[in-house]
Amino acid sequence: TPPPGPDYSVTFKPLDDKIVADTVTVPEGYVAEVLYSAGDKCVIGSAGYAGIPQSYPATETQSGGQHDGMHFYPLEGVDPNQGGLLVLNHEALDNATLDQSVEGLKTRLSNVGVSVVEIARGSNGAWAVKADSRYNKRYTGNTVYNVSGPAKAVVGATVVGTLNNCSSGNTPWGTYLTCEETLNNYHYQAGDAGQPADEGYGWVVEIDPQTPGSTAVKRTAMGRFSHENTAYMLDENNRVAFYMGDDTTPGCIYKFVPNKPYDPANRANNMGLLDEGTLYAARFNDDGSGNWVELTVGKNNLTTGATDPGNFTQVATGTVITGTIVDFNSQADVLVNTQAAARVAGATLMDRPEWITVGVDKTVFCTLTNNGSRKRTSASNPRANNSHGHIIRWHERGDSPLATTFEWDLLLLAGRDAADGVAPNLTGNVNGDTFSSPDGIRVDPQGRLWVQTDAGTGTSTTDFFGNNSMYYIDQKTGESKRFLVGPLGCEITGIAYTPDLTTFFINIQHPNQTWNTLRAGGGDARSATVVVRRTDGKPVGA
Ligand code: FEO
Ligand code: CA
Ligand code: CA
Ligand code: CA
């Protein structure tokens, strides 16, 4: 990994305002190339998309839909800047490769989950999927997952399906954490039989992409909520914390601290690390201080007959709130009903916490994408009817992953220019290229902060911001520069890169017009992973 640049600066010429082209637009000197689309061949021997209606189990061999969180892993014996494993989430069904009205439940469930594909760079600099790689694998809504941790006794030893795989994270020991963003299996439709209990979803699921035959594991110790992604901080003693957002209107920010340090010498010793540890939720005090409140049964009011105040920030000040009684009799109760536990313990309800990232200087950033229905504000969520979202950051005390206190401030409020004369909830303070609804966020290994947006794509939004985009943001000045603009209807999500940063992988989710269409004369466009690189071969951004 190259060292951070001296000032984390960028050299690209920012893109124009309000681009609404049906293509991926990148700055001069960069190219964007489609690598892996919904319906593409994944597993060895796959025929790929074979026309509608599709059928199970053939669909289990092809790329799922709605590409989202993603990570690039080196492979032993391969130059990591020339090849490796790309692991990516499929958040939802891609109508470009399915007709949900005629295709059965198992076919639909094939379309969500995770893809593992080996990729390699050709002599012309372009990347391609290696169709014959034994690493290529799908984890889907039909796959069986093991369950571990304190809630195993309640959830069961196995669960069929991972679902709503939003964003993701990696671990110091090289596994992939796919995050389930909803608690229920909404893929079932009228007429489908056998819907399982909803307690099987809403977990962080650990996948070992280097071991193709391995079974993925739902790690219940990390709590059950609308998981967005994970990001870790490691200290000099190999103690680690995993930060996690709950994309709920409103939801809390969490961290999980395993009891044991990560073992860099013996990979196998880390495979149970996520089963034992302490789960916390964040309280952002109005004076800029913060506390991690422990979500352990018996502490912080997590007892039998606890009073859950509910999502009280969604009702007007002065309205009488009648709490709901919730029983926390065991740690399993806390982990199955984590959102209520965080509210009972006094964590702060935030404006939809999406991705979290840990910077090279250990600043932690979280996107709060928007919350159009907030009525009670706080210093950390200062706008009622927050239509465009904001970004919060904090420093752990002593920059330690084990800290139980921190200091926070707001990096920026997204939204329109004050000069537009719009209401305060629509006015942002972004210095440079404005945007709405930050979602993906990542500090790359050279220290550059990137933000991706998921704003509504109706004209009321695109008139002011253009299509959803990716921005570089200077962490000192807050200056924002538009780097990439997606095609019509999409959100931009997923950030992965080779160690030398000469290749970035970005996901285009739910494009809805003619970009990357599959069928001549109709059908939606396909979600896809695109490669972004410079024609001069230098690191992206540098
Ligand atoms: Fe799946 Fe919160 O975005
Ligand atoms: Ca999405
Ligand atoms: Ca997201
Ligand atoms: Ca979003």
Side-chain angles (χ1 to χ4, degrees):
T1 298
D7 56 3
Y8 309 161
S9 62
V10 290
T11 56
F12 67 85
K13 181 170 174 280
L15 297 175
D16 291 343
D17 283 342
K18 303 175 188 174
I19 291 174
V20 287
D22 198 19
T23 187
V24 179
T25 306
V26 288
E28 215 178 289
Y30 286 78
V31 291
E33 301 152 320
V34 172
L35 173 66
Y36 183 64
S37 303
D40 278 1
K41 298 171 186 177
C42 176
V43 178
I44 291 178
S46 174
Y49 169 77
I52 286 175
Q54 294 227 77
S55 62
Y56 176 89
T59 45
E60 293 274 304
T61 69
Q62 34 173 279
S63 170
Q66 304 258 350
H67 301 29
D68 205 320
M70 178 166 57
H71 195 75
F72 177 84
Y73 293 90
L75 269 177
E76 209 176 318
V78 178
D79 176 347
N81 298 310
Q82 300 297 319
L85 297 180
L86 197 62
V87 187
L88 61 138
N89 281 0
H90 299 292
E91 185 177 28
L93 311 177
D94 221 291
N95 289 325
T97 61
L98 289 174
D99 182 341
Q100 294 184 49
S101 67
V102 298
E103 287 157 346
L105 176 66
K106 284 196 159 180
T107 305
R108 298 197 297 274
L109 289 172
S110 293
N111 216 241
V112 300
V114 173
S115 282
V116 181
V117 283
E118 185 177 353
I119 58 174
R121 195 168 199 171
S123 54
N124 61 354
W127 289 79
V129 172
K130 289 180 75 171
D132 60 349
S133 173
R134 69 186 186 92
Y135 291 101
N136 294 356
K137 180 167 177 171
R138 284 296 319 282
Y139 295 85
T140 75
N142 299 305
T143 309
V144 176
Y145 299 83
N146 287 337
V147 178
S148 69
K152 177 179 174 178
V154 175
V155 177
T158 60
V159 167
V160 176
T162 186
L163 299 172
N164 317 305
N165 306 79
C166 186
S167 190
S168 56
N170 66 317
T171 65
W173 51 96
T175 56
Y176 181 79
L177 302 178
T178 184
C179 298
E180 298 181 326
E181 197 183 21
T182 63
L183 310 183
N184 58 351
N185 189 340
Y186 69 79
H187 297 290
Y188 278 78
Q189 296 177 357
D192 292 330
Q195 183 159 8
D198 281 341
E199 276 169 12
Y201 314 105
W203 302 108
V204 170
V205 187
E206 186 173 19
I207 288 173
D208 182 2
Q210 323 270 349
T211 311
S214 60
T215 301
V217 185
K218 301 205 177 197
R219 301 290 185 190
T220 65
M222 300 176 85
R224 175 172 167 266
F225 46 89
S226 297
H227 279 283
E228 182 71 24
N229 85 331
T230 70
Y232 72 80
M233 182 189 290
L234 190 65
D235 74 8
E236 62 281 4
N237 299 316
N238 291 315
R239 292 298 303 272
V240 61
F242 290 86
Y243 300 91
M244 306 177 284
D246 173 15
D247 185 359
T248 297
T249 314
C252 295
I253 291 172
Y254 298 83
K255 83 168 170 180
F256 176 75
V257 180
N259 287 344
K260 292 182 192 151
Y262 147 63
D263 183 350
N266 184 345
R267 189 168 187 257
N269 281 351
N270 302 305
M271 293 307 177
L273 216 58
L274 301 179
D275 288 336
E276 291 174 17
T278 305
L279 184 65
Y280 301 90
R283 184 164 64 226
F284 292 85
N285 303 312
D286 281 355
D287 65 358
S289 67
N291 302 83
W292 290 106
V293 291
E294 187 175 333
L295 303 184
T296 297
V297 69
K299 296 188 177 177
N300 295 314
N301 301 317
L302 299 174
T303 57
T304 304
T307 302
D308 173 11
N311 294 331
F312 61 90
T313 61
Q314 306 301 100
V315 300
T317 306
T319 306
V320 175
I321 299 160
T322 307
T324 307
I325 301 302
V326 185
D327 288 330
F328 296 106
N329 297 320
S330 66
Q331 188 60 14
D333 288 344
V334 171
L335 297 173
V336 168
N337 199 3
T338 305
Q339 292 170 329
R343 293 188 296 257
V344 167
T348 304
L349 291 168
M350 312 295 286
D351 287 343
R352 292 184 60 195
E354 297 240 39
W355 290 38
I356 299 180
T357 186
V358 179
V360 293
D361 66 353
K362 297 196 173 175
T363 308
V364 190
F365 298 86
C366 181
T367 51
L368 301 164
T369 199
N370 55 49
N371 179 355
S373 53
R374 176 179 282 272
K375 294 193 172 55
R376 294 182 187 213
T377 60
S378 59
S380 53
N381 300 271
R383 297 190 288 193
N385 304 316
N386 179 10
S387 304
H388 296 308
H390 54 292
I391 299 175
I392 198 167
R393 65 181 163 188
W394 65 91
H395 281 275
E396 298 279 33
R397 185 177 181 84
D399 285 330
S400 169
L402 311 181
T404 55
T405 59
F406 57 89
E407 291 184 348
W408 67 268
D409 71 345
L410 298 183
L411 174 66
L412 59 84
L413 300 174
R416 290 165 55 183
D417 291 328
D420 291 346
V422 295
N425 63 305
L426 300 176
T427 305
N429 61 8
V430 174
N431 171 13
D433 294 330
T434 56
F435 54 85
S436 173
S437 304
D439 187 336
I441 189 166
R442 176 70 58 77
V443 178
D444 75 29
Q446 289 190 350
R448 296 185 189 84
L449 177 62
W450 303 93
V451 169
Q452 302 171 318
T453 66
D454 175 20
T457 52
T459 53
S460 64
T461 303
T462 54
D463 278 355
F464 292 99
F465 305 102
N467 291 348
N468 278 307
S469 298
M470 176 166 161
Y471 300 80
Y472 160 80
I473 296 176
D474 185 301
Q475 293 165 62
K476 293 193 185 79
T477 64
E479 188 176 9
S480 161
K481 295 181 176 178
R482 190 179 292 101
F483 173 69
L484 174 152
V485 181
L488 295 169
C490 80
E491 67 175 89
I492 305 296
T493 183
I495 311 176
Y497 26 72
T498 53
D500 65 3
L501 304 187
T502 61
T503 302
F504 269 39
F505 305 95
I506 304 295
N507 282 328
I508 305 296
Q509 192 187 58
H510 56 71
N512 65 3
Q513 299 291 317
T514 60
W515 180 80
N516 202 31
T517 47
L518 188 66
R519 301 190 286 282
D524 287 348
R526 289 180 295 169
S527 298
T529 300
V530 297
V531 167
V532 177
R533 60 191 176 90
R534 279 166 74 156
T535 50
D536 66 8
K538 291 182 179 167
V540 170

